[in-house]
Amino acid sequence: MTNPITRDRRHFEDLAVGDVISLGSTTVTKAMIIGFATEFDPFPFHLDEAAAKASLLGGLASSGWQTGALSLRMLVDSFLSTIASAGGLGFSDLKWKNPVMVDDTIGGTVTIVDLRRSTGHPQWGIVTLDFDVRNQKGAPVLTMRLANLVETRNPGALA
């Protein structure tokens, strides 16, 4: 049975290893940093400009988790909302390479590095994505590998 919600989206069979997806970009404001940190990561270098200036970061910086959340949002907007995605299976190799500071613009790419059909559930495929997120100066700010579950169009087909 075809899923009416995802029938017009791309499926597992439509994806290819090596495909590169542009994430677009987003600018991280002081209000965004403080708002996220207040609720989820209340370290002084995310909340207080004086404390942040005196810290290793040298200024008010985004939480790494906020950078990850923003990266995921860009992925949903640019890619996951266009495919028959059923959700994430997890991530690995997360690295915060450089801090994201007030008014930095982040963006980048995601590359499909692996595709495999589930052996136990042939209606599902697993797409593995490598993130390369950078700031406006081209400096890397986040890398990670993410696995996502995607519907297959034809569960009976061979992998």
Side-chain angles (χ1 to χ4, degrees):
M1 178 179 194
T2 302
N3 181 337
I5 295 170
T6 60
R7 74 171 163 250
D8 296 327
R9 294 183 179 186
R10 294 188 305 153
H11 285 69
F12 177 77
E13 296 89 342
D14 303 316
L15 306 176
V17 170
D19 283 354
V20 177
I21 299 100
S22 175
L23 292 173
S25 64
T26 190
T27 300
V28 183
T29 66
K30 176 181 174 182
M32 289 167 68
I33 291 171
I34 291 173
F36 186 93
T38 298
E39 190 165 358
F40 301 109
D41 196 355
F43 280 101
F45 43 81
H46 300 316
L47 292 170
D48 178 87
E49 286 184 281
K53 188 170 175 102
S55 78
L56 175 68
L57 301 174
L60 199 63
S62 170
S63 164
W65 295 112
Q66 181 177 23
T67 303
L70 291 168
S71 298
L72 182 59
R73 176 56 194 250
M74 290 186 289
L75 180 69
V76 169
D77 291 346
S78 64
F79 180 64
L80 293 181
S81 63
T82 71
I83 67 171
S85 172
L89 295 173
F91 65 90
S92 63
D93 302 318
L94 172 63
K95 296 198 178 10
W96 295 302
K97 302 284 194 162
N98 287 290
V100 174
M101 309 304 282
V102 172
D103 295 328
D104 273 357
T105 298
I106 61 170
T109 60
V110 169
T111 303
I112 297 176
V113 295
D114 189 46
L115 291 165
R116 67 180 176 86
R117 190 179 290 263
S118 171
T119 52
H121 302 279
Q123 72 273 27
W124 300 113
I126 299 165
V127 58
T128 303
L129 305 165
D130 277 356
F131 280 71
D132 179 17
V133 180
R134 296 173 178 266
N135 66 19
Q136 72 280 1
K137 298 173 187 170
V141 296
L142 177 144
T143 59
M144 75 172 163
R145 178 163 282 185
L146 178 81
N148 195 270
L149 197 61
V150 181
E151 288 179 43
T152 61
R153 184 174 286 111
N154 184 358
L158 297 173

